[in-house]
């Protein structure tokens, strides 16, 4: 079983719809992250959380929100999806005090029509 | 915003050739990571470097961290088709700040 699991793997939706991407982990890590990957732009940080009560905006948080339901669960929501949110989304975890060694899920490919 | 530049963006070589990928910044890293990503999967951590001048080896891969901790390189010896993938460097500019900045990646294709 994967240590970091993302659901769904693929999603096609229409402009204006609300979408939730889910992430769960069995690594026991405190820190969880949501990244977005676009061709030629690497990975950009959307939101991150250092523990259940800690939520922080990343460099591209506009249009997104998150919820840290438990240590093992971190979900990303698009309240009203738009076409330029079409991208590959990754959830990642890291362990406090180990430097920025990130462990990634397999990603969710989101297409907004 | 911290910028982290990777070069080249694309690299296509024949099996058996050597190659080097570069990662540069104008700012000092507290640590730097290299990841490899295959299509349809998330990035997988290859190595972390922390000390200026550090050299780490992982089979045919050699990672160097610049003395000033502003740059790094990844050298692959005798590349194989299995090395094909997207190579990403990521830097942490503040110790334990919890945020990594990623380069745009180098897409490597190794032809048999």
């Amino acid at each position: 079983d994967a240590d970091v699991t993302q659901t769904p793997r693929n999603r096609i939706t229409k402009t204006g719809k609300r979408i939730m991407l889910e992430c769960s982990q069995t690594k026991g890590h405190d820190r969880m992250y949501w990244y977005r990957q676009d061709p030629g732009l690497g990975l950009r940080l959307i939101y991150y959380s250092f523990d259940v009560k800690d939520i922080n905006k990343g460099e591209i948080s506009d249009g997104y929100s998150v919820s840290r339901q438990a240590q093992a669960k971190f979900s990303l929501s698009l309240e009203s999806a738009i076409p330029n949110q079409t991208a590959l989304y990754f959830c990642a975890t890291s362990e406090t005090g180990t430097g920025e060694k990130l462990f990634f899920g397999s990603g969710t490919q989101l297409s907004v029509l | 915003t911290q910028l982290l530049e990777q070069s080249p963006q694309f690299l296509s070589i024949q099996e058996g050739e050597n190659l080097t990928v570069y990662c540069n910044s104008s700012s000092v890293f507290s640590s730097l990571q290299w990841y490899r990503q295959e299509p349809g999967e998330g990035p997988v951590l290859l190595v972390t470097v922390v000390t200026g001048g550090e050299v780490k080896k992982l089979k045919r891969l050699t990672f160097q961290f610049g003395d000033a901790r502003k740059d790094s390189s990844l050298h692959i010896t005798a590349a194989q088709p299995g090395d094909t993938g997207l190579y990403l460097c990521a830097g942490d500019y503040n110790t334990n700040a919890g945020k990594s900045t990623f380069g745009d990646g180098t897409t490597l294709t190794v032809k048999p």
Side-chain angles (χ1 to χ4, degrees), chain A residues 6 10 20 27-28 69 71 76 82 88 94 101 110-111:
Chain A
Q6 292 184 234
N10 293 280
M20 179 180 288
K27 298 188 75 67
Q69 301 94 325
Q71 187 208 32
L76 175 71
I82 56 177
L88 186 55
S94 72
K101 299 176 184 177
L110 176 66
S111 298

Side-chain angles (χ1 to χ4, degrees), chain A residues 1-2 4-5 13 15 21-22 24-26 34 36 38 41 46 64 78 80-81 84 86 88-89 95-96 104 108:
Chain A
D1 289 342
V4 183
T5 302
T13 191
T15 298
L21 309 183
E22 300 191 26
S24 63
Q25 52 118 344
T26 59
W34 276 103
R36 167 178 172 161
D38 298 275
L41 292 179
I46 306 172
Y64 302 94
L78 289 68
S80 180
N84 75 3
T86 293
L88 186 55
Y89 290 85
E95 186 174 23
T96 302
F104 286 86
T108 295

Side-chain angles (χ1 to χ4, degrees), chain B residues 4 6 8 22 30-31 35 46 48 87 96 102:
Chain B
L4 208 160
Q6 272 188 253
Y22 300 92
S30 58
S31 70
Y35 295 84
L46 296 173
T48 295
Y87 289 82
N96 211 31
F102 280 81

Side-chain angles (χ1 to χ4, degrees), chain A residues 9 31 33 35 37 40-43 45 48 50 57 59 88 90 96-107, chain B residues 1 9 31 33 35 37 40-45 48 86 88 92 94-105:
Chain A
R9 288 297 309 272
R31 299 183 174 186
Y33 308 78
Y35 282 90
Q37 186 175 38
L41 292 179
L43 287 152
L45 184 62
Y48 61 105
F50 284 1
K57 293 182 177 181
E59 60 178 302
L88 186 55
F90 286 104
T96 302
T98 62
E100 302 323 313
K101 299 176 184 177
L102 296 169
F103 296 86
F104 286 86
S106 296
Chain B
T1 302
Q9 186 177 2
S31 70
Q33 289 75 39
Y35 295 84
Q37 183 180 12
E41 297 297 330
V44 176
L45 180 67
T48 295
L86 176 66
L88 295 158
D92 173 25
N94 297 294
T95 301
N96 211 31
K99 295 187 294 181
S100 290
T101 298
F102 280 81
D104 292 344

